[in-house]
Amino acid sequence: MLDYRLRQRDYLLAISRAMTSRLDVRAVLRLVLESAAELLGADAAFIAVRDNQDAFRIRAAYGIPSQMLHLFTPLLENIPVLPGAGVSAGWTIPDLSWRLHLVSTAVGLPLRQVVALPMMIGDQLIGVIYVFRLTGLAFSEDDRQVLASFADQAAIAIQNARLYQQLLAEKRRLDAIIEHSADGIMILDAYCRVEVINRALERMTGWRSGDAVGRHCAEVLNAVNAQGQPLCGRVCAALEQAEEPAGAEETLYLEGDIVRPDGSKVSVGINHSLLWDEEGRLLNIILDVHDITRFRQAEELQSTFISVISHELKTPVALIKGYASTLRREDAHWDEATVREGLRIIEEESDRLDQLISNLLDASRIQAGGLKLELTDVSLPRLAEKIVNRLRTQTSVHRFELAFPPDFPPVFADEERISQVLYNLLNNAVKYSPRGGTIRVGGRVLDHEVMVYVSDEGIGIPKEEQNRLFQRFYRVDSGLRRQTPGVGLGLYLSRAIIEAHGGRIWVESEAGKGATFYFTLPRITE
Ligand code: ATP
Ligand code: MG
């Protein structure tokens, strides 16, 4: 008897060792069956596991060829599954001996004795262990007790495997959330080295995850705040903290710019939180990196807007007010010419104000997506001539040339809007060629569209500035910028108008060598 108990202990020990050393639940279950069968002098055994639908399936077998397992299903039916403490004590499967008889005939093996014991986790039945003997020797109460300890081991093994699967599924879900989050996410270890970066952060930093893991935070997240302090330095300062502060759970917020390996910049806001273990040691720092570049640009745009507008509004208002108060001085008598000149300036400056206000309204309309066109047949050569004639009176140093071919076809367009475009291009040509020269406006007829160009011999535009001209409030920083009035809306509006017509607008220029602006409009097709 003592020997028997010792062997049982050895078997159980071997099983628990197997359980902790590998997570393959099948192997553990087989070991349980083998040990139980040997110890009880049994010839066959299997474990059936309960699934979500309360059906039982054989998960592991001993002494039964696998192609025969399906013949044992009569033993798996009507298993009592009600929870409760009483389950294990008085638990039996009804008509078990009779069912064994049926199975034994079907299998063609003289299975004579069976014992089936419940496998419990708490008060939940999770499976049943069955053991068979070919001989007539019945299973004793001792045998049942031995088997019960094996049933417990099997239950624990299955439960472990289930928990592990759950954990795995949970981890996969979490990984997917991290990976596909629109915000950049970075997880640092307790030494401030990268454990994880997600796709969004790969894009922001220009680092590949595989290259980033294991490196120090500052190497991967090369970001500084407005004072030039590295953000990682501030984040990793948490490591100096010896233990978890009372009332933890706080997230900390920092803002700054990431400088990518190629030199480009992304403005970011970083929320970071600290993860502590139960003993109050810092485990991880988790960073949520939000791209705020657009927000920053909007902020910048707003401050440009305010400074440009206030400057541009102030100049005409000051002139109007100056001339008006001079002219109405009661102690002075002005000759007719002076009065006319004063009134001319007042009128001109009012026009400028009016134009500025309409441009601002248009810009906000375009932003709101509501640029409406009133389309009619428009003759571009005639429109260009009208505008040129208006501009001729305002300059004495420029020569204007109209160069449209005689058969230039009409286009279907919004006359008011297109004349706004032509006016801005021609007005720019005048403004940005202060030494004068020839300004030419002409057109070409292509297969599906017409093309119009305006060229000048002025200061030109450096290559690197050319694609920014069409942005709102953008003005090239030349010496002329301060002297020439303008807010940088003309080309922005021109592009919006041309694109609303289905055309394109672009510039060709070299610094110091004049500029040519082109736009196209679709041709009327029958
Ligand atoms: P606004 O048209 O709103 O009164 P603006 O003329 O400064 O002001 P845009 O017409 O949008 O604004 O032009 C943007 C910038 O592009 C100008 O400030 C100027 O620096 C540059 N630019 C435009 N046309 C020319 C040109 N023909 N030659 C050289 N630079 C030009
Ligand atoms: Mg302009």
Short mmCIF file of all heavy atoms in Angstrom, two decimals, residues 470-505:
data_model
loop_
_atom_site.label_atom_id
_atom_site.label_comp_id
_atom_site.label_asym_id
_atom_site.label_seq_id
_atom_site.Cartn_x
_atom_site.Cartn_y
_atom_site.Cartn_z
N PHE A 470 0.74 79.38 -54.05
CA PHE A 470 -0.71 79.25 -54.18
C PHE A 470 -1.38 78.99 -52.83
O PHE A 470 -2.57 78.77 -52.77
CB PHE A 470 -1.06 78.13 -55.18
CG PHE A 470 -0.54 78.43 -56.57
CD1 PHE A 470 0.72 78.00 -56.98
CD2 PHE A 470 -1.32 79.17 -57.45
CE1 PHE A 470 1.19 78.28 -58.24
CE2 PHE A 470 -0.85 79.45 -58.72
CZ PHE A 470 0.41 79.02 -59.12
N GLN A 471 -0.57 78.98 -51.75
CA GLN A 471 -1.16 78.81 -50.42
C GLN A 471 -1.69 80.14 -49.91
O GLN A 471 -1.18 81.20 -50.27
CB GLN A 471 -0.10 78.30 -49.43
CG GLN A 471 0.35 76.89 -49.74
CD GLN A 471 1.53 76.48 -48.86
OE1 GLN A 471 1.93 77.21 -47.97
NE2 GLN A 471 2.07 75.31 -49.15
N ARG A 472 -2.66 80.00 -49.02
CA ARG A 472 -3.24 81.21 -48.43
C ARG A 472 -2.19 82.05 -47.71
O ARG A 472 -1.38 81.51 -46.97
CB ARG A 472 -4.29 80.82 -47.39
CG ARG A 472 -5.69 80.88 -47.92
CD ARG A 472 -6.64 80.44 -46.85
NE ARG A 472 -6.25 79.16 -46.30
CZ ARG A 472 -6.76 78.65 -45.21
NH1 ARG A 472 -7.65 79.32 -44.53
NH2 ARG A 472 -6.40 77.46 -44.78
N PHE A 473 -2.22 83.33 -47.90
CA PHE A 473 -1.37 84.30 -47.19
C PHE A 473 0.12 84.11 -47.44
O PHE A 473 0.94 84.64 -46.72
CB PHE A 473 -1.62 84.26 -45.67
CG PHE A 473 -3.05 84.52 -45.31
CD1 PHE A 473 -3.80 83.59 -44.64
CD2 PHE A 473 -3.64 85.72 -45.67
CE1 PHE A 473 -5.12 83.83 -44.32
CE2 PHE A 473 -4.96 85.98 -45.34
CZ PHE A 473 -5.70 85.03 -44.66
N TYR A 474 0.48 83.32 -48.47
CA TYR A 474 1.90 83.14 -48.71
C TYR A 474 2.44 84.23 -49.61
O TYR A 474 1.92 84.46 -50.70
CB TYR A 474 2.20 81.76 -49.30
CG TYR A 474 3.68 81.50 -49.27
CD1 TYR A 474 4.30 81.13 -48.08
CD2 TYR A 474 4.48 81.71 -50.40
CE1 TYR A 474 5.67 80.95 -48.02
CE2 TYR A 474 5.85 81.53 -50.35
CZ TYR A 474 6.43 81.16 -49.15
OH TYR A 474 7.79 80.99 -49.08
N ARG A 475 3.49 84.89 -49.15
CA ARG A 475 4.15 85.89 -49.98
C ARG A 475 5.65 85.61 -49.92
O ARG A 475 6.18 85.29 -48.87
CB ARG A 475 3.87 87.30 -49.46
CG ARG A 475 2.40 87.61 -49.29
CD ARG A 475 2.16 89.08 -49.03
NE ARG A 475 2.38 89.88 -50.24
CZ ARG A 475 2.69 91.17 -50.22
NH1 ARG A 475 2.87 91.79 -49.06
NH2 ARG A 475 2.86 91.83 -51.33
N VAL A 476 6.31 85.70 -51.06
CA VAL A 476 7.74 85.43 -51.09
C VAL A 476 8.46 86.55 -50.32
O VAL A 476 8.14 87.73 -50.46
CB VAL A 476 8.27 85.38 -52.54
CG1 VAL A 476 9.77 85.14 -52.55
CG2 VAL A 476 7.53 84.30 -53.32
N ASP A 477 9.43 86.12 -49.50
CA ASP A 477 10.11 87.10 -48.66
C ASP A 477 11.21 87.80 -49.45
O ASP A 477 12.39 87.52 -49.30
CB ASP A 477 10.70 86.38 -47.43
CG ASP A 477 11.05 87.37 -46.35
OD1 ASP A 477 10.79 88.59 -46.56
OD2 ASP A 477 11.57 86.95 -45.31
N SER A 478 10.81 88.72 -50.30
CA SER A 478 11.82 89.49 -51.04
C SER A 478 11.79 90.91 -50.49
O SER A 478 10.92 91.27 -49.71
CB SER A 478 11.47 89.51 -52.53
OG SER A 478 10.27 90.22 -52.72
N GLY A 479 12.75 91.72 -50.91
CA GLY A 479 12.79 93.10 -50.43
C GLY A 479 11.50 93.83 -50.79
O GLY A 479 11.06 94.75 -50.10
N LEU A 480 10.88 93.36 -51.90
CA LEU A 480 9.69 94.04 -52.40
C LEU A 480 8.47 93.82 -51.51
O LEU A 480 7.52 94.58 -51.54
CB LEU A 480 9.36 93.47 -53.78
CG LEU A 480 9.79 94.26 -55.00
CD1 LEU A 480 9.24 93.58 -56.24
CD2 LEU A 480 9.28 95.69 -54.92
N ARG A 481 8.54 92.72 -50.71
CA ARG A 481 7.33 92.30 -50.03
C ARG A 481 6.76 93.40 -49.15
O ARG A 481 5.57 93.64 -49.10
CB ARG A 481 7.62 91.06 -49.18
CG ARG A 481 6.39 90.60 -48.42
CD ARG A 481 6.55 89.21 -47.95
NE ARG A 481 6.93 89.20 -46.54
CZ ARG A 481 6.91 88.11 -45.80
NH1 ARG A 481 6.58 86.96 -46.35
NH2 ARG A 481 7.25 88.15 -44.56
N ARG A 482 7.69 94.10 -48.48
CA ARG A 482 7.20 95.12 -47.55
C ARG A 482 6.68 96.36 -48.28
O ARG A 482 5.79 97.03 -47.81
CB ARG A 482 8.31 95.49 -46.56
CG ARG A 482 8.04 94.89 -45.19
CD ARG A 482 9.30 94.60 -44.44
NE ARG A 482 9.55 93.15 -44.41
CZ ARG A 482 10.58 92.55 -44.91
NH1 ARG A 482 11.50 93.23 -45.54
NH2 ARG A 482 10.72 91.26 -44.84
N GLN A 483 7.28 96.60 -49.48
CA GLN A 483 6.86 97.82 -50.19
C GLN A 483 5.59 97.64 -51.00
O GLN A 483 4.89 98.61 -51.25
CB GLN A 483 7.97 98.28 -51.14
CG GLN A 483 9.27 98.58 -50.43
CD GLN A 483 10.47 98.37 -51.34
OE1 GLN A 483 10.35 98.51 -52.55
NE2 GLN A 483 11.59 98.02 -50.76
N THR A 484 5.34 96.41 -51.48
CA THR A 484 4.15 96.24 -52.32
C THR A 484 2.97 95.78 -51.47
O THR A 484 3.12 94.90 -50.64
CB THR A 484 4.37 95.19 -53.41
OG1 THR A 484 5.05 94.10 -52.81
CG2 THR A 484 5.12 95.71 -54.57
N PRO A 485 1.82 96.43 -51.72
CA PRO A 485 0.65 95.99 -50.96
C PRO A 485 0.20 94.61 -51.43
O PRO A 485 0.48 94.22 -52.55
CB PRO A 485 -0.41 97.05 -51.30
CG PRO A 485 0.02 97.63 -52.60
CD PRO A 485 1.52 97.53 -52.65
N GLY A 486 -0.46 93.90 -50.56
CA GLY A 486 -0.94 92.54 -50.90
C GLY A 486 -0.98 91.70 -49.65
O GLY A 486 -0.25 91.97 -48.70
N VAL A 487 -1.85 90.70 -49.63
CA VAL A 487 -1.92 89.83 -48.46
C VAL A 487 -1.61 88.38 -48.81
O VAL A 487 -1.62 87.51 -47.96
CB VAL A 487 -3.31 89.89 -47.78
CG1 VAL A 487 -3.52 91.24 -47.15
CG2 VAL A 487 -4.42 89.54 -48.74
N GLY A 488 -1.36 88.11 -50.10
CA GLY A 488 -1.06 86.72 -50.46
C GLY A 488 -2.30 85.88 -50.64
O GLY A 488 -2.29 84.68 -50.40
N LEU A 489 -3.38 86.53 -51.06
CA LEU A 489 -4.60 85.75 -51.32
C LEU A 489 -4.88 85.58 -52.81
O LEU A 489 -5.59 84.67 -53.21
CB LEU A 489 -5.81 86.45 -50.68
CG LEU A 489 -6.07 86.14 -49.22
CD1 LEU A 489 -7.27 86.93 -48.72
CD2 LEU A 489 -6.28 84.65 -48.99
N GLY A 490 -4.30 86.49 -53.63
CA GLY A 490 -4.63 86.51 -55.06
C GLY A 490 -4.45 85.16 -55.73
O GLY A 490 -5.36 84.66 -56.40
N LEU A 491 -3.28 84.53 -55.55
CA LEU A 491 -3.03 83.27 -56.25
C LEU A 491 -3.82 82.13 -55.64
O LEU A 491 -4.25 81.20 -56.34
CB LEU A 491 -1.53 82.95 -56.24
CG LEU A 491 -0.68 83.80 -57.19
CD1 LEU A 491 0.80 83.48 -57.03
CD2 LEU A 491 -1.12 83.60 -58.63
N TYR A 492 -4.04 82.19 -54.32
CA TYR A 492 -4.86 81.17 -53.67
C TYR A 492 -6.27 81.16 -54.28
O TYR A 492 -6.79 80.11 -54.65
CB TYR A 492 -4.92 81.45 -52.17
CG TYR A 492 -5.93 80.62 -51.42
CD1 TYR A 492 -5.71 79.27 -51.18
CD2 TYR A 492 -7.12 81.19 -50.95
CE1 TYR A 492 -6.64 78.51 -50.49
CE2 TYR A 492 -8.05 80.44 -50.26
CZ TYR A 492 -7.82 79.10 -50.03
OH TYR A 492 -8.73 78.36 -49.36
N LEU A 493 -6.84 82.38 -54.42
CA LEU A 493 -8.17 82.49 -55.00
C LEU A 493 -8.15 82.08 -56.47
O LEU A 493 -9.04 81.37 -56.95
CB LEU A 493 -8.70 83.92 -54.87
CG LEU A 493 -8.92 84.41 -53.44
CD1 LEU A 493 -9.33 85.88 -53.44
CD2 LEU A 493 -9.99 83.56 -52.75
N SER A 494 -7.09 82.51 -57.19
CA SER A 494 -7.01 82.17 -58.61
C SER A 494 -7.02 80.67 -58.81
O SER A 494 -7.73 80.14 -59.67
CB SER A 494 -5.74 82.74 -59.23
OG SER A 494 -5.70 84.13 -59.04
N ARG A 495 -6.23 79.98 -57.97
CA ARG A 495 -6.18 78.52 -58.13
C ARG A 495 -7.55 77.90 -57.84
O ARG A 495 -8.02 77.05 -58.59
CB ARG A 495 -5.13 77.89 -57.21
CG ARG A 495 -5.04 76.39 -57.47
CD ARG A 495 -3.96 75.73 -56.69
NE ARG A 495 -4.27 75.74 -55.27
CZ ARG A 495 -3.50 75.17 -54.35
NH1 ARG A 495 -2.39 74.56 -54.72
NH2 ARG A 495 -3.83 75.22 -53.09
N ALA A 496 -8.21 78.38 -56.77
CA ALA A 496 -9.51 77.82 -56.43
C ALA A 496 -10.50 78.03 -57.58
O ALA A 496 -11.27 77.13 -57.93
CB ALA A 496 -10.03 78.45 -55.16
N ILE A 497 -10.45 79.23 -58.17
CA ILE A 497 -11.39 79.54 -59.26
C ILE A 497 -11.12 78.66 -60.48
O ILE A 497 -12.01 78.05 -61.05
CB ILE A 497 -11.30 81.04 -59.63
CG1 ILE A 497 -11.86 81.89 -58.49
CG2 ILE A 497 -12.02 81.32 -60.94
CD1 ILE A 497 -11.54 83.37 -58.58
N ILE A 498 -9.83 78.57 -60.87
CA ILE A 498 -9.48 77.78 -62.06
C ILE A 498 -9.83 76.30 -61.83
O ILE A 498 -10.39 75.64 -62.70
CB ILE A 498 -7.98 77.95 -62.40
CG1 ILE A 498 -7.69 79.39 -62.84
CG2 ILE A 498 -7.55 76.97 -63.48
CD1 ILE A 498 -8.45 79.83 -64.07
N GLU A 499 -9.52 75.79 -60.65
CA GLU A 499 -9.80 74.38 -60.39
C GLU A 499 -11.31 74.10 -60.33
O GLU A 499 -11.76 73.05 -60.75
CB GLU A 499 -9.09 73.90 -59.11
CG GLU A 499 -7.59 73.77 -59.36
CD GLU A 499 -6.80 73.31 -58.14
OE1 GLU A 499 -7.39 73.19 -57.05
OE2 GLU A 499 -5.58 73.07 -58.30
N ALA A 500 -12.07 75.09 -59.86
CA ALA A 500 -13.53 74.92 -59.85
C ALA A 500 -14.07 74.82 -61.27
O ALA A 500 -15.10 74.20 -61.51
CB ALA A 500 -14.20 76.08 -59.11
N HIS A 501 -13.33 75.40 -62.22
CA HIS A 501 -13.73 75.30 -63.64
C HIS A 501 -13.21 74.02 -64.28
O HIS A 501 -13.45 73.79 -65.47
CB HIS A 501 -13.17 76.49 -64.43
CG HIS A 501 -13.96 77.76 -64.27
ND1 HIS A 501 -13.78 78.62 -63.23
CD2 HIS A 501 -14.95 78.30 -65.04
CE1 HIS A 501 -14.60 79.66 -63.35
NE2 HIS A 501 -15.34 79.48 -64.44
N GLY A 502 -12.43 73.26 -63.54
CA GLY A 502 -11.86 72.04 -64.12
C GLY A 502 -10.53 72.29 -64.82
O GLY A 502 -10.09 71.47 -65.63
N GLY A 503 -9.88 73.41 -64.53
CA GLY A 503 -8.60 73.71 -65.17
C GLY A 503 -7.44 73.59 -64.20
O GLY A 503 -7.60 73.13 -63.07
N ARG A 504 -6.25 73.97 -64.68
CA ARG A 504 -5.04 73.92 -63.84
C ARG A 504 -4.34 75.27 -63.91
O ARG A 504 -4.52 76.01 -64.88
CB ARG A 504 -4.08 72.85 -64.37
CG ARG A 504 -4.56 71.43 -64.19
CD ARG A 504 -3.74 70.48 -65.05
NE ARG A 504 -3.93 70.74 -66.48
CZ ARG A 504 -2.94 70.96 -67.34
NH1 ARG A 504 -1.68 70.95 -66.95
NH2 ARG A 504 -3.21 71.20 -68.61
N ILE A 505 -3.52 75.56 -62.89
CA ILE A 505 -2.76 76.82 -62.90
C ILE A 505 -1.36 76.52 -62.38
O ILE A 505 -1.22 75.72 -61.45
CB ILE A 505 -3.48 77.92 -62.08
CG1 ILE A 505 -2.71 79.24 -62.15
CG2 ILE A 505 -3.69 77.49 -60.63
CD1 ILE A 505 -3.52 80.42 -61.63
#
